[in-house]
Amino acid sequence: MEYLNFNEEELTADVKEMSLLEVRNVCMQCQNCSLAKSRTNIVFSDGYANAPVMLIGEAPGADEDASGVPFVGRAGKLLTQMLEECGINRETDLYICNTIKCRPPENRDPKPEEKVSCSKYLEAQINIVRPKLIVLCGATAAKSFLGDDLKISQIRGNKYMIFDKIPATVIFHPSYLLRNHSEEPNSPRWLTKKDLTAIKKFIDNLK
Ligand code: SF4
């Protein structure tokens, strides 16, 4: 894959955009797992190709499958609102994608073989965007990278190194926050705002 051979200087925002488009075009034709049969659209990404932070969710839901854009349903709108409240611009500070690009039926968790089949697209996205920080959004995405035995409440907010020493952290998935309305101290929403504020500080420190 040619886009894996760029050195750091060659990877301008324009080159990243074009390289991601190339991968997306391949992905749109993908029939590598059974999810290809039931999808309406592949859900490749949203946000900025040269963003400092990559946010990775688990899999597209119904709204995402219909639109082809990640995190646009009720949960996505809550995420966008919380990002804005913490000063993070979804369009310029983040590159957003999922571990797999097609919606699993009935919103079930992706199967291990589906994640394996789809991993080459995510790896290409990470290699092209080269984020300074990866944010794993929700338990399923986090377990894909950090291990199946972990509980989200234990790993949320911690720092990890994944993908050849890229710093990573874990936040609650916004669909979980939709079911937990409290904003009291130490509630999931309160903790998520704390995490997003720390991510905003990380972004600001890069400037
Ligand atoms: S989920 Fe990934 S591997 Fe499976 S068909 Fe969609 S793009 Fe291809």
Side-chain angles (χ1 to χ4, degrees):
M1 295 183 178
E2 287 169 27
Y3 39 78
L4 300 183
N5 295 331
F6 290 112
N7 62 40
E8 202 67 45
E9 291 72 38
E10 290 171 320
L11 271 174
T12 61
D14 285 349
V15 170
K16 289 183 180 184
E17 199 74 61
M18 285 172 51
S19 301
L20 288 166
L21 194 58
E22 194 181 313
V23 182
R24 183 193 191 107
N25 287 339
V26 174
C27 186
M28 284 175 73
Q29 309 302 322
C30 182
Q31 303 285 328
N32 286 354
C33 82
S34 61
L35 297 180
K37 293 189 184 71
S38 55
R39 75 179 175 223
T40 307
N41 291 295
I42 65 146
V43 181
F44 190 73
S45 68
D46 193 27
Y48 182 38
N50 203 25
V53 177
M54 178 181 277
L55 185 139
I56 304 176
E58 52 188 78
D63 292 312
E64 290 75 18
D65 178 61
S67 65
V69 182
F71 287 97
V72 291
R74 282 181 65 227
K77 287 189 172 76
L78 176 60
L79 175 67
T80 303
Q81 178 196 320
M82 294 183 79
L83 289 167
E84 285 172 359
E85 287 170 3
C86 295
I88 299 173
N89 187 317
R90 175 175 166 143
E91 299 304 322
T92 57
D93 291 328
L94 297 185
Y95 180 84
I96 302 176
C97 60
N98 286 304
T99 55
I100 63 167
K101 312 308 181 198
C102 302
R103 182 195 179 203
E106 311 301 326
N107 289 348
R108 64 162 170 75
D109 286 347
K111 295 178 182 172
E113 62 269 26
E114 292 162 351
K115 287 198 270 192
V116 170
S117 296
C118 212
S119 61
K120 64 179 179 178
Y121 300 116
L122 180 60
E123 286 171 18
Q125 286 171 308
I126 292 170
N127 270 307
I128 294 166
V129 175
R130 301 198 185 179
K132 304 288 186 287
L133 175 71
I134 289 177
V135 178
L136 302 171
C137 186
T140 306
K143 286 178 180 179
S144 293
F145 295 92
L146 304 175
D148 277 336
D149 299 334
L150 298 166
K151 289 189 176 159
I152 183 93
S153 56
Q154 294 169 330
I155 57 176
R156 180 238 111 235
N158 293 347
K159 289 179 192 158
Y160 299 92
M161 289 290 179
I162 61 174
F163 275 101
D164 199 19
K165 299 183 184 167
I166 300 175
T169 190
V170 180
I171 63 171
F172 289 120
H173 197 279
S175 59
Y176 176 68
L177 302 180
L178 281 176
R179 303 191 294 274
N180 291 274
H181 296 276
S182 171
E183 298 199 2
E184 293 293 309
N186 296 315
S187 65
R189 285 197 187 211
W190 186 89
L191 290 168
T192 302
K193 282 202 175 173
K194 184 179 163 196
D195 295 338
L196 294 178
T197 301
I199 292 166
K200 167 65 175 164
K201 194 173 171 190
F202 177 90
I203 295 168
D204 287 346
N205 284 341
L206 294 172
K207 293 173 183 167

